Amino acid sequence: MSSARESPDKATANNPLKHPNSRIAVLTSHFTATMSSEKDAALAAAAAPPPADSPTIFDKIINKEIPAKVVYEDDKVLAFRDISPQAPTHILLIPKIKDGLTGLSQAEERHCEILGQLLYAAKLVAKQEGLEDGFRVVINDGPDGSQSVYHLHLHLLGGRQMNWPPG
Ligand code: AMP
């Protein structure tokens, strides 16, 4: 006689999300771990927000004090590969001069030019990276936006199908 409900062991064996050796389970666990570490970093940053013009890790990259895989540079914008990629292509684009732009929420009218340059550079880099089938540009802002580095940056993500809504 078969029971309407499976035993936990059988349910686990039949569920690729729960089976510890399945590729989906491994990917799911990696995804969840990455998501929570990103969120933890954002919460830690929010718990002790830096003063508006204090240097961040991105200043060290701009000043070449730490290495980065730079993929694009002009007089105003620097683009480099994210150290913890969330897609086959994951590039950060930042203004070389922060000018108070710790995040998009701090933008003022004087920033319109650099904001446009960042977006246009994202398009150039997407083309350079061969993202003909599309891409996504993300700006995380503040604690609710899971921002962890307080120097405005665009995430350029591509090379896989993106989902909506985002996490
Ligand atoms: P956000 O959470 O929107 O503030 O994004 C900050 C991003 O910076 C994260 O995706 C990090 O992986 C990335 N990041 C942090 N440090 C570095 C680094 N040294 N080089 C490249 N990317 C970095």
Side-chain angles (χ1 to χ4, degrees):
M1 193 165 103
S2 70
S3 137
R5 291 182 65 168
E6 291 177 319
S7 72
D9 283 352
K10 194 172 172 199
T12 298
N14 291 336
N15 185 342
L17 284 173
K18 291 183 178 171
H19 194 286
N21 291 333
S22 85
R23 184 169 156 70
I24 293 175
V26 171
L27 287 172
T28 304
S29 115
H30 171 76
F31 187 58
T32 309
T34 305
M35 293 239 311
S36 78
S37 70
E38 284 290 306
K39 196 171 154 197
D40 289 349
L43 289 175
D53 275 326
S54 69
T56 70
I57 191 101
F58 293 170
D59 289 287
K60 292 188 175 173
I61 290 174
I62 292 167
N63 297 329
K64 305 205 184 315
E65 290 161 23
I66 61 168
K69 292 181 181 164
V70 173
V71 297
Y72 172 91
E73 182 168 11
D74 62 29
D75 56 334
K76 303 269 171 52
V77 176
L78 184 67
F80 51 92
R81 296 197 190 279
D82 196 295
I83 204 167
S84 174
Q86 304 301 310
T89 300
H90 186 172
I91 290 164
L92 301 174
L93 297 104
I94 65 173
K96 285 183 174 176
I97 298 173
K98 187 159 65 174
D99 185 25
L101 274 178
T102 48
L104 185 59
S105 56
Q106 303 308 306
E108 297 182 6
E109 204 169 343
R110 72 175 190 278
H111 296 122
C112 285
E113 189 177 350
I114 184 63
L115 291 171
Q117 285 169 323
L118 284 163
L119 269 180
Y120 185 63
K123 175 259 175 178
L124 294 178
V125 175
K127 188 168 171 54
Q128 181 181 299
E129 293 287 314
L131 302 176
E132 286 90 7
D133 290 341
F135 53 87
R136 181 171 288 174
V137 173
V138 172
I139 298 175
N140 296 324
D141 189 274
D144 278 5
S146 284
Q147 182 177 3
S148 60
V149 179
Y150 280 75
H151 181 135
L152 177 73
H153 51 282
L154 277 61
H155 295 257
L156 171 66
L157 298 143
R160 67 166 166 83
Q161 179 62 56
M162 300 294 155
N163 299 312
W164 195 264

